[in-house]
Amino acid sequence: MDPRKLFADERFAVCVYCGREPTTRDHVPSRVLLDEPYPDNLPVVGACSPCNSSFSKDESYLAYLIESALVGSTDPDSFLRPKIRRIFANEPSIRALIQSSRQENGVMWKADVARVRNVVLKLARGHAAFECSEPMLQEPSLVSFVPRNLLSEEELSSFETAPVETVFPELGSLAFLKSVVVDTRVFLSDGWHVVQPGRYRYLVSWSGPFIVRCVLSEYLFCEVAW
């Protein structure tokens, strides 16, 4: 039997964010978090129409916030990403929102935690479904997101290290196809999956707690666990 021709069980044919019928397809990550030209074969998952459209404002907010933090300004002319510069120039309300969250020292912003958490959890659920055919609809035990400069070297090393897998992934899932079997352990052949260098990468671990990690613009380090 050729494992490349196996497919996940039909019980996973649901919106990966809410469990309803998946009437549309959604890119994970959203393209607002990536630069043009977009990479080929972006991860795509099933989603219902309400979910597919409900995250866009929060995703745009997070993209603008990260870019502002990276350049130390909300002035679109100072942005390094042409797409964000173009979009942000036409979004005065979001620009004003982020500018108002700038702290007195001028180099820090107070993030809207609820909006950032919404995006990070959405990304994690999308990656879990894409890699392991596993709809993680339940509430996670951990949702963490930290700027790079607030991580110690020990914390960063731990974050970057891919856990050793001791549980075989779902037969026919992408994780199954990417695994390398050695004795009784399963090792990811790639570890981190780089969607776009310097812009977005992620890792999924399914042993013990189910963990998804992602890094946005090498600035925001995120982890979700179930």
Side-chain angles (χ1 to χ4, degrees):
M1 181 179 293
D2 185 351
R4 292 172 298 178
K5 297 181 180 179
L6 297 177
F7 299 93
D9 194 295
E10 291 184 359
R11 68 182 182 277
F12 299 130
V14 298
C15 171
V16 302
Y17 308 123
C18 72
R20 289 179 289 193
E21 182 182 358
T23 55
T24 66
R25 307 288 283 173
D26 186 37
H27 289 101
V28 185
S30 167
R31 285 179 289 188
V32 75
L33 301 175
L34 303 172
D35 289 331
E36 300 169 344
Y38 301 121
D40 295 331
N41 302 319
L42 280 177
V44 176
V45 295
C48 67
S49 294
C51 283
N52 204 346
S53 60
S54 66
F55 294 104
S56 59
K57 289 186 177 180
D58 288 349
E59 289 172 322
S60 295
Y61 165 82
L62 181 56
Y64 304 153
L65 179 63
I66 289 175
E67 187 71 3
S68 296
L70 286 173
V71 303
S73 172
T74 57
D75 181 1
D77 291 337
S78 67
F79 286 1
L80 302 177
R81 298 181 59 197
K83 180 173 68 173
I84 298 301
R85 184 190 310 134
R86 181 180 69 249
I87 299 174
F88 200 43
N90 297 318
E91 293 283 357
S93 60
I94 294 184
R95 179 179 177 182
L97 175 64
I98 295 177
Q99 180 62 38
S100 68
S101 68
R102 191 169 186 171
Q103 302 298 285
E104 292 182 1
N105 59 18
V107 295
M108 297 185 69
W109 280 260
K110 184 178 181 180
D112 186 326
V113 172
R115 300 186 79 168
V116 177
R117 184 185 189 277
N118 189 39
V119 175
V120 171
L121 181 54
K122 180 253 188 181
L123 293 170
R125 283 180 167 143
H127 292 314
F130 182 78
E131 292 289 330
C132 298
S133 303
E134 187 72 19
M136 305 301 288
L137 303 178
Q138 65 271 39
E139 189 65 16
S141 58
L142 170 72
V143 179
S144 170
F145 38 91
V146 185
R148 166 65 180 86
N149 61 307
L150 297 183
L151 290 171
S152 68
E153 290 305 314
E154 182 179 355
E155 290 170 329
L156 181 61
S157 177
S158 176
F159 183 93
E160 295 284 4
T161 303
V164 174
E165 305 296 353
T166 57
V167 177
F168 294 126
E170 176 79 11
L171 188 67
S173 68
L174 183 59
F176 176 85
L177 302 182
K178 291 170 64 177
S179 298
V180 177
V181 179
V182 180
D183 294 329
T184 60
R185 291 185 173 185
V186 180
F187 298 84
L188 281 180
S189 57
D190 298 324
W192 285 89
H193 177 80
V194 179
V195 177
Q196 191 172 64
R199 193 60 60 212
Y200 193 94
R201 56 192 173 98
Y202 70 91
L203 177 144
V204 178
S205 172
W206 55 85
S207 289
F210 195 108
I211 296 173
V212 178
R213 295 173 184 160
C214 56
V215 181
L216 286 65
S217 295
E218 294 301 322
Y219 172 79
L220 193 65
F221 285 63
C222 312
E223 179 172 319
V224 177
W226 285 270

Coordinates of all heavy atoms in Angstrom, one line a residue, residues 111-163:
A111 N -0.6 45.6 23.5 CA -1.4 44.8 22.5 C -2.8 44.5 23.0 O -3.0 44.4 24.2 CB -0.7 43.5 22.2
D112 N -3.7 44.4 22.1 CA -5.1 43.9 22.4 C -5.0 42.4 22.5 O -5.0 41.6 21.5 CB -6.1 44.3 21.3 CG -7.5 43.9 21.7 OD1 -7.7 42.9 22.4 OD2 -8.4 44.7 21.2
V113 N -4.8 41.9 23.8 CA -4.5 40.5 24.0 C -5.6 39.6 23.4 O -5.3 38.5 22.9 CB -4.4 40.2 25.5 CG1 -4.2 38.7 25.8 CG2 -3.1 41.0 26.0
A114 N -6.9 40.0 23.5 CA -8.0 39.1 23.0 C -7.8 38.9 21.5 O -8.1 37.8 21.0 CB -9.3 39.7 23.4
R115 N -7.5 40.0 20.8 CA -7.4 39.9 19.3 C -6.2 39.1 18.9 O -6.3 38.2 18.0 CB -7.3 41.3 18.7 CG -8.5 42.2 19.0 CD -8.4 43.5 18.3 NE -8.8 43.4 16.9 CZ -9.0 44.4 16.1 NH1 -8.9 45.6 16.5 NH2 -9.4 44.2 14.8
V116 N -5.1 39.2 19.6 CA -3.9 38.4 19.3 C -4.1 37.0 19.6 O -3.8 36.1 18.8 CB -2.7 39.0 20.1 CG1 -1.4 38.1 19.8 CG2 -2.3 40.4 19.7
R117 N -4.8 36.7 20.8 CA -5.1 35.3 21.1 C -6.0 34.7 20.1 O -5.8 33.5 19.7 CB -5.7 35.3 22.5 CG -6.0 33.9 23.0 CD -6.7 33.9 24.4 NE -6.8 32.6 25.0 CZ -7.7 31.7 24.7 NH1 -8.6 31.9 23.7 NH2 -7.7 30.5 25.3
N118 N -6.9 35.4 19.6 CA -7.9 34.9 18.6 C -7.1 34.4 17.4 O -7.4 33.3 16.8 CB -8.9 36.0 18.3 CG -10.0 35.4 17.4 OD1 -10.5 34.3 17.6 ND2 -10.5 36.2 16.5
V119 N -6.2 35.2 16.9 CA -5.4 34.8 15.7 C -4.5 33.6 16.0 O -4.4 32.7 15.2 CB -4.6 36.0 15.2 CG1 -3.7 35.6 14.1 CG2 -5.5 37.2 14.8
V120 N -3.8 33.7 17.1 CA -2.9 32.6 17.4 C -3.6 31.3 17.6 O -3.1 30.2 17.1 CB -2.1 32.9 18.7 CG1 -1.3 31.7 19.2 CG2 -1.2 34.1 18.5
L121 N -4.7 31.3 18.2 CA -5.5 30.0 18.4 C -6.0 29.6 17.0 O -6.0 28.4 16.7 CB -6.7 30.2 19.4 CG -7.6 29.0 19.6 CD1 -6.7 27.8 20.1 CD2 -8.6 29.4 20.7
K122 N -6.5 30.5 16.2 CA -6.9 30.1 14.8 C -5.8 29.5 14.0 O -6.0 28.5 13.4 CB -7.4 31.4 14.1 CG -7.9 31.2 12.7 CD -7.0 31.7 11.7 CE -7.6 31.6 10.3 NZ -6.7 32.0 9.2
L123 N -4.6 30.0 14.1 CA -3.5 29.5 13.4 C -3.2 28.1 13.9 O -2.9 27.1 13.1 CB -2.2 30.4 13.6 CG -2.3 31.7 12.9 CD1 -1.1 32.6 13.4 CD2 -2.3 31.6 11.4
A124 N -3.2 27.9 15.2 CA -2.9 26.6 15.8 C -3.9 25.5 15.4 O -3.5 24.4 15.0 CB -2.8 26.7 17.3
R125 N -5.1 25.9 15.4 CA -6.2 24.9 15.0 C -6.0 24.6 13.5 O -6.2 23.4 13.1 CB -7.6 25.5 15.3 CG -7.9 25.4 16.7 CD -9.3 26.0 17.0 NE -9.7 25.6 18.4 CZ -10.4 26.4 19.2 NH1 -10.8 27.6 18.8 NH2 -10.8 26.0 20.4
G126 N -5.7 25.6 12.7 CA -5.5 25.3 11.3 C -4.3 24.4 11.0 O -4.4 23.4 10.2
H127 N -3.2 24.6 11.7 CA -2.0 23.7 11.5 C -2.2 22.3 12.0 O -1.8 21.3 11.5 CB -0.8 24.4 12.2 CG -0.3 25.6 11.6 ND1 -0.2 25.8 10.2 CD2 0.0 26.8 12.1 CE1 0.2 27.0 9.9 NE2 0.4 27.6 11.0
A128 N -3.0 22.2 13.2 CA -3.3 20.9 13.7 C -4.1 20.1 12.7 O -3.8 18.9 12.5 CB -4.0 21.0 15.0
A129 N -5.1 20.7 12.1 CA -5.9 20.0 11.1 C -5.1 19.7 9.9 O -5.3 18.6 9.3 CB -7.1 20.9 10.8
F130 N -4.3 20.6 9.4 CA -3.6 20.4 8.2 C -2.5 19.3 8.3 O -2.4 18.4 7.5 CB -2.9 21.7 7.7 CG -2.2 21.5 6.4 CD1 -2.9 21.5 5.2 CD2 -0.8 21.4 6.4 CE1 -2.2 21.4 4.0 CE2 -0.1 21.3 5.2 CZ -0.8 21.3 4.0
E131 N -1.8 19.3 9.4 CA -0.7 18.3 9.6 C -1.2 17.0 10.1 O -0.7 15.9 9.7 CB 0.3 18.9 10.6 CG 1.1 20.1 10.1 CD 2.1 19.7 9.1 OE1 2.6 18.6 9.1 OE2 2.3 20.6 8.2
C132 N -2.2 16.9 11.0 CA -2.6 15.7 11.7 C -4.0 15.3 11.5 O -4.5 14.3 12.1 CB -2.3 15.8 13.2 SG -0.5 16.1 13.6
S133 N -4.7 16.0 10.6 CA -6.1 15.7 10.4 C -6.9 15.7 11.7 O -7.8 14.9 11.9 CB -6.3 14.4 9.6 OG -5.6 14.4 8.4
E134 N -6.5 16.6 12.6 CA -7.1 16.6 13.9 C -7.8 17.9 14.2 O -7.1 18.9 14.4 CB -6.0 16.4 15.0 CG -6.4 16.1 16.4 CD -7.1 14.8 16.6 OE1 -6.9 13.9 15.8 OE2 -7.8 14.6 17.6
P135 N -9.1 17.9 14.3 CA -9.9 19.2 14.6 C -9.8 19.4 16.1 O -10.5 18.8 16.9 CB -11.3 18.9 14.1 CG -11.4 17.4 14.2 CD -10.1 16.8 14.0
M136 N -9.0 20.4 16.5 CA -8.8 20.7 17.9 C -9.8 21.8 18.3 O -9.5 22.9 18.4 CB -7.4 21.1 18.2 CG -6.3 20.1 17.7 SD -6.5 18.5 18.5 CE -5.9 18.9 20.2
L137 N -11.1 21.3 18.5 CA -12.1 22.3 18.7 C -12.3 22.7 20.2 O -12.9 23.7 20.5 CB -13.5 21.7 18.2 CG -13.5 21.3 16.7 CD1 -14.8 20.7 16.3 CD2 -13.2 22.6 15.8
Q138 N -11.7 21.8 21.1 CA -11.9 22.1 22.5 C -11.0 23.3 22.9 O -10.0 23.6 22.2 CB -11.5 20.9 23.3 CG -10.1 20.4 23.2 CD -9.8 19.4 22.1 OE1 -10.4 19.6 21.0 NE2 -9.0 18.4 22.3
E139 N -11.2 23.8 24.1 CA -10.4 24.9 24.6 C -9.0 24.4 24.9 O -8.9 23.4 25.6 CB -11.1 25.6 25.8 CG -10.5 26.8 26.3 CD -10.6 28.0 25.3 OE1 -11.4 27.9 24.4 OE2 -9.9 29.0 25.5
P140 N -8.0 25.1 24.5 CA -6.6 24.7 24.8 C -6.3 24.9 26.3 O -6.9 25.7 27.0 CB -5.8 25.5 23.9 CG -6.6 26.8 23.7 CD -8.0 26.3 23.7
S141 N -5.3 24.2 26.7 CA -4.7 24.4 28.1 C -3.8 25.6 28.2 O -3.5 26.1 29.2 CB -4.1 23.1 28.6 OG -3.0 22.7 27.7
L142 N -3.2 26.0 27.0 CA -2.2 27.0 27.0 C -2.3 27.8 25.6 O -2.4 27.2 24.6 CB -0.8 26.5 27.1 CG 0.3 27.4 26.9 CD1 0.4 28.5 28.0 CD2 1.7 26.7 26.7
V143 N -2.3 29.1 25.7 CA -2.2 29.9 24.5 C -1.2 31.0 24.9 O -1.4 31.9 25.8 CB -3.5 30.6 24.1 CG1 -3.2 31.5 22.8 CG2 -4.5 29.6 23.7
S144 N 0.0 30.9 24.3 CA 1.1 31.8 24.7 C 1.7 32.5 23.5 O 1.8 32.0 22.4 CB 2.2 31.0 25.4 OG 3.4 31.8 25.6
F145 N 2.0 33.8 23.6 CA 2.6 34.6 22.6 C 3.5 35.7 23.2 O 3.1 36.4 24.0 CB 1.6 35.2 21.6 CG 0.4 35.8 22.3 CD1 0.3 37.1 22.7 CD2 -0.7 34.9 22.5 CE1 -0.9 37.6 23.3 CE2 -1.9 35.4 23.1 CZ -1.9 36.8 23.5
V146 N 4.8 35.6 22.8 CA 5.8 36.5 23.4 C 6.7 37.0 22.4 O 7.2 36.3 21.5 CB 6.6 35.6 24.4 CG1 7.6 36.5 25.2 CG2 5.8 34.9 25.4
P147 N 7.0 38.4 22.4 CA 8.0 38.9 21.5 C 9.4 38.3 21.8 O 9.7 38.0 22.9 CB 8.0 40.4 21.9 CG 6.6 40.7 22.5 CD 6.3 39.4 23.2
R148 N 10.2 38.2 20.7 CA 11.5 37.6 20.8 C 12.4 38.2 21.9 O 13.1 37.5 22.6 CB 12.2 37.7 19.4 CG 13.7 37.4 19.4 CD 13.9 35.9 19.8 NE 15.3 35.6 19.8 CZ 16.2 35.8 20.9 NH1 15.7 36.3 22.0 NH2 17.4 35.4 20.8
N149 N 12.3 39.5 22.1 CA 13.2 40.1 23.0 C 12.9 39.9 24.5 O 13.7 40.1 25.4 CB 13.3 41.6 22.8 CG 11.9 42.3 23.0 OD1 10.9 41.9 22.4 ND2 11.8 43.3 23.8
L150 N 11.7 39.3 24.7 CA 11.3 38.9 26.1 C 11.6 37.5 26.5 O 11.4 37.1 27.6 CB 9.8 39.3 26.3 CG 9.4 40.7 26.2 CD1 8.0 40.9 26.5 CD2 10.3 41.6 27.1
L151 N 12.2 36.7 25.5 CA 12.5 35.3 25.8 C 14.0 35.3 26.2 O 14.9 35.9 25.6 CB 12.3 34.5 24.5 CG 10.9 34.2 24.1 CD1 10.8 33.6 22.7 CD2 10.1 33.4 25.1
S152 N 14.2 34.5 27.2 CA 15.6 34.2 27.6 C 16.2 33.2 26.6 O 15.5 32.6 25.8 CB 15.7 33.6 29.0 OG 15.1 32.3 29.0
E153 N 17.5 33.1 26.6 CA 18.2 32.2 25.7 C 17.8 30.7 26.0 O 17.6 29.9 25.1 CB 19.7 32.3 25.8 CG 20.3 33.6 25.2 CD 19.8 33.8 23.7 OE1 19.9 32.9 23.0 OE2 19.4 34.9 23.4
E154 N 17.6 30.4 27.2 CA 17.1 29.1 27.6 C 15.7 28.8 27.1 O 15.4 27.8 26.6 CB 17.1 28.9 29.1 CG 16.7 27.5 29.6 CD 16.8 27.4 31.1 OE1 17.3 28.3 31.8 OE2 16.4 26.3 31.6
E155 N 14.8 29.8 27.3 CA 13.4 29.7 26.8 C 13.4 29.6 25.3 O 12.6 28.8 24.7 CB 12.6 30.9 27.2 CG 12.3 30.9 28.7 CD 11.7 32.2 29.2 OE1 12.0 33.3 28.6 OE2 11.0 32.2 30.2
L156 N 14.2 30.4 24.6 CA 14.3 30.3 23.1 C 14.8 28.9 22.6 O 14.2 28.4 21.7 CB 15.2 31.4 22.6 CG 15.3 31.5 21.1 CD1 14.0 31.8 20.4 CD2 16.3 32.5 20.7
S157 N 15.8 28.4 23.3 CA 16.3 27.1 22.9 C 15.3 26.0 23.1 O 15.1 25.1 22.2 CB 17.6 26.8 23.8 OG 18.0 25.5 23.5
S158 N 14.5 26.1 24.2 CA 13.5 25.1 24.4 C 12.4 25.2 23.4 O 11.9 24.2 22.9 CB 12.9 25.3 25.8 OG 11.8 24.4 26.1
F159 N 12.0 26.4 23.1 CA 11.0 26.7 22.1 C 11.4 26.1 20.7 O 10.6 25.5 20.0 CB 10.7 28.2 22.0 CG 9.6 28.5 21.0 CD1 8.3 28.7 21.5 CD2 9.8 28.7 19.7 CE1 7.2 29.0 20.6 CE2 8.8 29.1 18.8 CZ 7.5 29.2 19.3
E160 N 12.6 26.3 20.3 CA 13.1 25.9 19.0 C 13.3 24.4 18.8 O 13.3 23.9 17.7 CB 14.4 26.6 18.7 CG 14.3 28.2 18.6 CD 13.7 28.6 17.3 OE1 13.3 27.7 16.5 OE2 13.6 29.8 17.0
T161 N 13.4 23.7 20.0 CA 13.7 22.3 19.9 C 12.4 21.5 19.6 O 11.5 21.6 20.4 CB 14.3 21.8 21.2 OG1 15.5 22.5 21.5 CG2 14.6 20.3 21.1
A162 N 12.4 20.7 18.6 CA 11.3 19.9 18.2 C 11.2 18.7 19.2 O 12.1 18.0 19.3 CB 11.4 19.4 16.8
P163 N 10.0 18.5 19.8 CA 9.9 17.4 20.7 C 10.0 16.0 20.0 O 9.7 15.9 18.8 CB 8.4 17.5 21.3 CG 8.1 19.0 21.0 CD 8.8 19.3 19.8

